[in-house]
Amino acid sequence: MNAAIDHDVILKLVDVSKVYSGTVAVKRANFEVRKGAVNVLVGENGAGKSTLMKIIAGVEQPTLGRILLEGEEVSFSSSGEAVSRGIGMVFQELNLFGNLTVAENIFATREITNRFRKIDSREQERRAAEFLERLEAGIRPDMLVEDLRIGQQQLVEIAKAVSLDARILIMDEPTSALSAAEVEILFKVIADLKASGVAIVYISHRLEELIRIGDYITVLRDGRITGQEKMKNVDTQWIVRQMIGSDAKDFAKADGHVPGEEIFRAEDICLPRVTGGLAVDHVSLSLRTGEILGIYGLMGAGRSELFDCIMGRHGHATGTIFIAGKKVRERDTTRRIRRGLALIPEDRQREGLVSILSVASNLTLASLSRFVRLFHISGAKENQAVAQMVRELAIKVADPAQEVSSLSGGNQQKVVIGKALLTGPKVLLMDEPSRGIDVGAKADVFRTMRKLSRDGLGILFATSDLDEVMALSDRIAVMSNGKLTGMFDRAEATEAALVAASALGHGPVPHTESHAHD
Amino acid sequence: MTDIPAKASVASASNGSVLLTLMKARTFIALIAVLIFFSIAAPNFLSAANLILMSKHVALNAFLAMGMTFVIITGGIDLSVGSIVGLCGMVAGYLVLNGIDLQVGYTIYFNVFEIALITLAVGILIGAVNGLLITRLNVAPFIATLGVLYVARGLALLSSDGRTFPNLVGKPDLGTTGFGFLGAGRLLGLPVSIWILVVVALGAAYLAKYTPLGRHIFAVGGNERAARISGVRVNMVKMFVYMFSGFCAAIVGLIISSELMASHPATGESFELNAIAAAVLGGTSMSGGRGTIGGTIVGAFVIGILSDGLVMMGVSSFWQMVIKGLVIIVAVVVDQAQRRLQSRVTLMQMAKAG
């Protein structure tokens, strides 16, 4: 790697901030992208990496700050404008049209036409084949994208970005669905691009990968850039330190209470996938009162789907669940909530909150019947419950009548938790409860989980964060590819064992991530 | 940083507040503006007789607009209300004139109270058909209610072969007299239809604000997925709003037939558009989740006063349509501007503070 030579800066972000309703995703970031080099961006989930990249690619506009492209101030109002200035992006979530062919996807919005403005599909397919050849993917350009494996789709996305002849190419977790062999091919393509002077911005969680191909590294934490260095000057320890920071995660300590009787049991839960196969594959597990059972797994392992089945959100799911030894016959969400189940969904905005309603209305949405006399909502009773939740969960809000979207991510998450708690659950399902919230709020959420388990609630929580699952769980279940692939007591669980179990049924074992300990 | 957003939005409420307050009160300002304008421009506009006449006109649209408001808050639309008005009018007219022939030599005649109940039931039933199409068969609200619009209108025409049921005075010996009370009767000096409007409007406003069902209506429109996960019975909520809309349309059908003492099958054509206009003018968001009964009533008054006032000034009905259209467009443009201004102020302050 020739990182010794200083590469020219092609793109510069100056004091860029991005605020979504409720969350500050990026705070005054200064970021430089260098030509002919791989610029690595790293940070934990929700640190703001993807947002920063979307700003560069013109998908999002910065709330404050400037973007300098080759010294000239630019502002992109759409990704089309960024593309026309030579900035391409491989998105983390696939941006492909499943109903179109591979070639049509690659040339979407840049269709090759003949004299009469008719699309020249033969030429498109020929050129698409060239790019696909480079990726050695074995994908025919006339195949429909929806018929491809997810890894192949990712390769199409990469081919599409490469075909732009971009000067700056952003890759947001391009390897997350690739096999080891495909990753090698991708790295070869990246090396070619680098040699031809393309600036590459590379985002990944896999530290080994980053150290191998990166020339420059930038670390983000909670929307702030905490470190910028040449890759040859740093090691894993440094990266982890910058990522986690001095305020190491505050996982409330276990208090040593002993779990009680079995409160919840799931037997043989199955959920068929639309595309065939099972999204949840014969999963059985049990939970005791006062126990925290962590479910660890990679993205797409079926954790959220399992929770959905337990909550009765899928009519075609099979299997049985028991609460306190009694079989739950109710199949709809409303009545399962009444039986004592409550879900804190992974996607706060889409499934957790009604963002245009007030904090108070959101808190009591699931438990309104508690405050009703005949058919009248008793304002006093409702306000009392709201005030109690705001106090217990330390929700920072000036007035509960405020719209919930005006709160920060962490406080929004507390509102979702409060809503679930007001239903008086026996079993709480928490799907990635710490996703996209800041350090202080995370600590609050973890403390709340401890307190609830002490009060006798059974908690099932799903996460893809190893530290979190190791620190909080009494027992750890591991899911992979819809199956339960491991069940460990905390005493016997090791990170290596969890990672190995989470990769079962996924082909080659992915690179083991390094994690810091203190 | 967690405490900053709360402070920021409080600050934004006071910041640039004059413009925001003006924008928020736009429907009221519009109402006052049209009142002042026409009291100067149109002679006799403020006379008691004229005001009562105008309120009777407004009431018809206000009923439909209230039903429409709930539907739109859940994120749907009900295009069938105009046809339900027509069909329910025909049902009432038919029952007054013919009763129900039992085919065994007997015919049952109902008194006016029973006729009103049956007609309301028909309206609710058609609303339930809308609801079932939307919740059970997953038909988009626009399409489902468009289909019902045609079906109901066709049935109304079939019921009399396209003719009007005239002269609905009824016969004293059959006990069917008194149908005119709804349309022409007065209580304490005000028309009966106004009293009914007051009762239904208070009921609807109460429902929206103080009952779980009302809260659920807003939740479904704000975020259907989140509502479902929170245990809201989304399908039942949707059934209710379409049935309520049908109920309101049936009331209008009864009142119109009663006012005219006749039922015409084409009654209520394009009423659905006026109802949507009133709801939107009153601040109901077409994307769901936002709206108030009070705002809708004010919106209905603005539209009603505007058209009656223009008639009194002798403005051509063609120009009236142009003006009405412009008012609706301006209302929505201001609405959007207000939202943008509000969110930008909040976001900028959070960015600076954060």
Side-chain angles (χ1 to χ4, degrees):
Chain A
M1 254 152 252
N2 53 352
I5 314 158
D6 268 352
H7 300 83
D8 295 336
V9 172
I10 180 165
L11 182 100
K12 206 171 168 176
L13 299 188
V14 184
D15 276 336
V16 166
S17 294
K18 175 71 190 177
V19 183
Y20 294 107
S21 65
T23 16
V24 182
V26 176
K27 283 173 232 167
R28 302 217 173 95
N30 289 291
F31 179 56
E32 289 175 347
V33 177
R34 291 165 190 271
K35 235 190 254 185
V38 175
N39 304 265
V40 161
L41 194 60
V42 65
E44 296 195 288
N45 283 338
K49 299 170 305 231
S50 295
T51 308
L52 200 57
M53 291 308 101
K54 283 181 181 163
I55 289 173
I56 297 178
V59 179
E60 299 277 1
Q61 281 69 52
T63 316
L64 290 174
R66 298 184 300 148
I67 306 172
L68 302 176
L69 182 60
E70 294 181 313
E72 176 200 350
E73 180 161 352
V74 290
S75 72
F76 305 127
S77 57
S78 71
S79 59
E81 280 183 39
V83 168
S84 70
R85 299 299 298 266
I87 301 177
M89 178 156 179
V90 180
F91 290 93
Q92 186 177 5
E93 58 273 19
L94 299 171
N95 281 354
L96 296 174
F97 307 105
N99 55 345
L100 300 182
T101 67
V102 171
E104 282 165 341
N105 265 285
I106 289 178
F107 291 101
T109 73
R110 308 172 290 129
E111 288 80 3
I112 302 172
T113 52
N114 66 11
R115 254 180 312 155
F116 306 109
R117 307 277 304 147
K118 177 190 168 294
I119 293 178
D120 186 347
S121 7
R122 197 171 306 160
E123 175 65 9
Q124 283 197 13
E125 283 175 14
R126 194 186 62 73
R127 304 243 313 250
E130 276 175 31
F131 293 113
L132 294 168
E133 196 82 353
R134 268 172 89 178
L135 291 168
E136 301 172 34
I139 305 169
R140 286 203 325 274
D142 60 344
M143 283 159 92
L144 284 182
V145 163
E146 63 192 3
D147 295 336
L148 299 178
R149 276 190 302 112
I150 197 91
Q152 291 179 314
Q153 292 188 11
Q154 201 156 26
L155 289 172
V156 172
E157 180 85 41
I158 292 167
K160 181 176 159 189
V162 171
S163 76
L164 294 172
D165 281 328
R167 290 183 296 166
I168 301 175
L169 187 57
I170 303 164
M171 299 187 164
D172 193 352
E173 305 220 26
T175 56
S176 59
L178 297 186
S179 68
E182 286 166 332
V183 169
E184 289 306 318
I185 296 164
L186 175 65
F187 284 1
K188 225 160 56 193
V189 172
I190 289 179
D192 284 351
L193 291 170
K194 211 168 88 168
S196 59
V198 177
I200 291 168
V201 181
Y202 191 93
I203 300 180
S204 179
H205 280 299
R206 300 177 179 172
L207 297 186
E208 281 181 8
E209 233 176 76
L210 300 180
I211 290 181
R212 208 179 122 200
I213 66 158
D215 297 309
Y216 297 90
I217 181 162
T218 303
V219 186
L220 266 172
R221 169 158 41 97
D222 288 326
R224 282 179 209 278
I225 288 179
T226 52
Q228 240 170 340
E229 264 298 339
K230 282 187 191 160
M231 191 60 100
K232 61 171 178 141
N233 298 341
V234 307
D235 56 5
T236 320
Q237 294 300 314
W238 180 88
I239 301 176
V240 170
R241 209 164 44 243
Q242 301 300 322
M243 271 170 65
I244 298 183
S246 51
D247 39 11
K249 278 189 229 171
D250 177 7
F251 297 112
K253 292 279 172 294
D255 47 26
H257 74 270
V258 182
E261 299 284 291
E262 177 186 276
I263 180 77
F264 173 80
R265 189 163 83 246
E267 277 181 5
D268 218 20
I269 307 277
C270 281
L271 177 68
R273 218 192 290 267
V274 190
T275 53
L278 294 172
V280 178
D281 196 348
H282 298 280
V283 172
S284 303
L285 47 80
S286 83
L287 178 74
R288 293 187 285 168
T289 58
E291 184 181 40
I292 300 183
L293 174 59
I295 303 181
Y296 175 74
L298 301 173
M299 244 168 67
R303 295 164 295 156
S304 305
E305 290 78 4
L306 172 65
F307 282 2
D308 288 348
C309 293
I310 295 174
M311 286 310 291
R313 289 178 67 194
H314 297 293
H316 52 290
T318 56
T320 20
I321 60 173
F322 299 85
I323 292 175
K326 275 195 227 110
K327 187 171 170 182
V328 176
R329 290 176 203 284
E330 291 87 348
R331 298 199 52 83
D332 62 298
T333 312
T334 312
R335 283 184 295 172
R336 287 202 174 175
I337 290 175
R338 272 186 215 148
R339 286 294 298 271
L341 287 168
L343 171 68
I344 289 151
E346 176 181 16
D347 192 328
R348 201 159 50 232
Q349 298 301 339
R350 278 182 56 212
E351 311 202 311
L353 295 169
V354 183
S355 56
I356 58 178
L357 291 187
S358 68
V359 172
S361 300
N362 269 288
L363 274 171
T364 55
L365 181 59
S367 51
L368 274 178
S369 52
R370 276 180 54 186
F371 315 111
V372 171
R373 197 177 303 134
L374 222 55
F375 48 78
H376 180 87
I377 300 174
S378 157
K381 266 198 202 164
E382 188 186 5
N383 291 340
Q384 197 186 339
V386 167
Q388 187 196 342
M389 269 302 146
V390 166
R391 198 172 54 242
E392 275 181 19
L393 297 177
I395 301 172
K396 298 206 175 81
V397 56
D399 176 3
Q402 234 172 286
E403 269 186 25
V404 77
S405 57
S406 66
L407 298 190
S408 72
N411 283 308
Q412 289 188 1
Q413 183 70 342
K414 289 180 191 172
V415 172
V416 181
I417 294 174
K419 179 175 74 174
L421 293 183
L422 277 173
T423 65
K426 297 192 185 90
V427 179
L428 196 56
L429 312 175
M430 305 176 96
D431 199 352
E432 298 276 4
S434 68
R435 198 178 95 157
I437 63 181
D438 60 77
V439 180
K442 270 184 199 176
D444 281 351
V445 168
F446 296 149
R447 233 187 330 271
T448 307
M449 287 168 70
R450 286 277 185 227
K451 183 179 160 297
L452 292 171
S453 75
R454 192 166 57 238
D455 295 347
L457 239 73
I459 297 180
L460 269 175
F461 91 107
T463 178
S464 49
D465 184 322
L466 261 181
D467 287 345
E468 222 172 273
V469 81
M470 295 284 283
L472 287 169
S473 319
D474 295 314
R475 276 187 306 148
I476 300 171
V478 183
M479 280 187 78
S480 172
N481 222 356
K483 287 195 183 68
L484 203 61
T485 52
M487 179 67 85
F488 304 87
D489 270 331
R490 183 176 31 207
E492 67 187 24
T494 63
E495 291 185 356
L498 294 185
V499 170
S502 74
L504 286 178
H506 266 300
V509 179
H511 302 276
T512 312
E513 291 177 42
S514 313
H515 281 266
H517 302 285
D518 35 8
Chain B
M1 63 138 285
T2 33
D3 61 336
I4 284 157
K7 277 185 205 154
S9 64
V10 171
S12 76
S14 62
N15 212 341
S17 60
V18 180
L19 187 57
L20 271 179
T21 319
L22 281 180
M23 281 176 156
K24 276 181 190 158
R26 64 187 173 279
T27 324
F28 252 112
I29 296 173
L31 179 62
I32 292 165
V34 291
L35 277 176
I36 293 175
F37 176 78
F38 286 120
S39 56
I40 296 166
N44 288 332
F45 179 81
L46 283 181
S47 70
N50 183 52
L51 287 180
I52 286 179
L53 188 68
M54 268 195 325
S55 342
K56 279 177 78 169
H57 291 165
V58 170
L60 298 178
N61 189 22
F63 278 116
L64 298 180
M66 281 192 292
M68 191 67 78
T69 301
F70 281 148
V71 171
I72 294 178
I73 290 175
T74 63
I77 190 87
D78 187 354
L79 299 179
S80 65
V81 289
S83 296
I84 301 179
V85 169
L87 180 57
C88 286
M90 294 310 280
V91 167
Y94 184 91
L95 290 176
V96 171
L97 288 187
N98 305 326
I100 293 178
D101 188 349
L102 292 180
Q103 306 292 343
V104 288
Y106 287 99
T107 301
I108 303 180
Y109 288 94
F110 300 97
N111 66 32
V112 171
F113 182 69
E114 289 161 348
I115 288 173
L117 284 186
I118 294 170
T119 309
L120 292 176
V122 169
I124 293 171
L125 190 74
I126 301 173
V129 171
N130 279 327
L132 286 174
L133 287 172
I134 290 158
T135 56
R136 298 290 159 197
L137 303 178
N138 276 329
V139 184
F142 192 98
I143 305 299
T145 56
L146 182 65
V148 170
L149 177 155
Y150 285 118
V151 173
R153 181 66 67 200
L155 290 177
L157 288 161
L158 282 171
S159 71
S160 68
D161 218 5
R163 284 189 298 269
T164 302
F165 289 134
N167 207 14
L168 301 178
V169 281
K171 297 196 182 92
D173 51 330
L174 297 174
T176 53
T177 51
F179 188 62
F181 178 71
L182 273 177
R186 294 206 172 198
L187 288 171
L188 306 175
L190 282 179
V192 173
S193 60
I194 299 296
W195 286 113
I196 302 176
L197 177 68
V198 169
V199 170
V200 175
L202 288 178
Y206 174 84
L207 179 105
K209 222 170 149 68
Y210 296 107
T211 67
L213 179 59
R215 199 71 70 75
H216 290 170
I217 289 173
F218 284 89
V220 168
N223 188 344
E224 194 175 319
R225 293 171 68 107
R228 195 163 268 149
I229 292 175
S230 303
V232 173
R233 294 178 189 274
V234 173
N235 284 352
M236 263 169 57
V237 170
K238 287 189 177 170
M239 286 297 293
F240 169 81
V241 295
Y242 288 98
M243 287 161 76
F244 180 71
S245 182
F247 168 77
C248 289
I251 295 179
V252 174
L254 280 170
I255 293 175
I256 292 180
S257 304
S258 167
E259 278 174 353
L260 302 174
M261 290 307 270
S263 301
H264 182 57
T267 305
E269 269 176 5
S270 85
F271 276 21
E272 60 278 356
L273 300 181
N274 277 325
I276 295 170
V280 168
L281 203 58
T284 308
S285 156
M286 289 301 285
S287 51
R290 280 182 222 270
T292 58
I293 293 296
T296 295
I297 303 268
V298 174
F301 268 90
V302 171
I303 288 185
I305 290 173
L306 199 62
S307 38
D308 280 14
L310 290 172
V311 171
M312 290 176 75
M313 282 175 65
V315 176
S316 103
S317 67
F318 304 153
W319 273 113
Q320 286 179 35
M321 291 172 82
V322 174
I323 293 169
K324 198 157 90 183
L326 290 177
V327 167
I328 293 165
I329 292 169
V330 168
V332 176
V333 169
V334 174
D335 185 55
Q336 291 301 323
Q338 177 208 327
R339 299 259 156 80
R340 263 204 309 277
L341 184 71
Q342 202 159 18
S343 66
R344 203 168 54 220
V345 168
T346 318
L347 290 187
M348 286 300 284
Q349 291 195 346
M350 277 177 66
K352 286 203 181 105

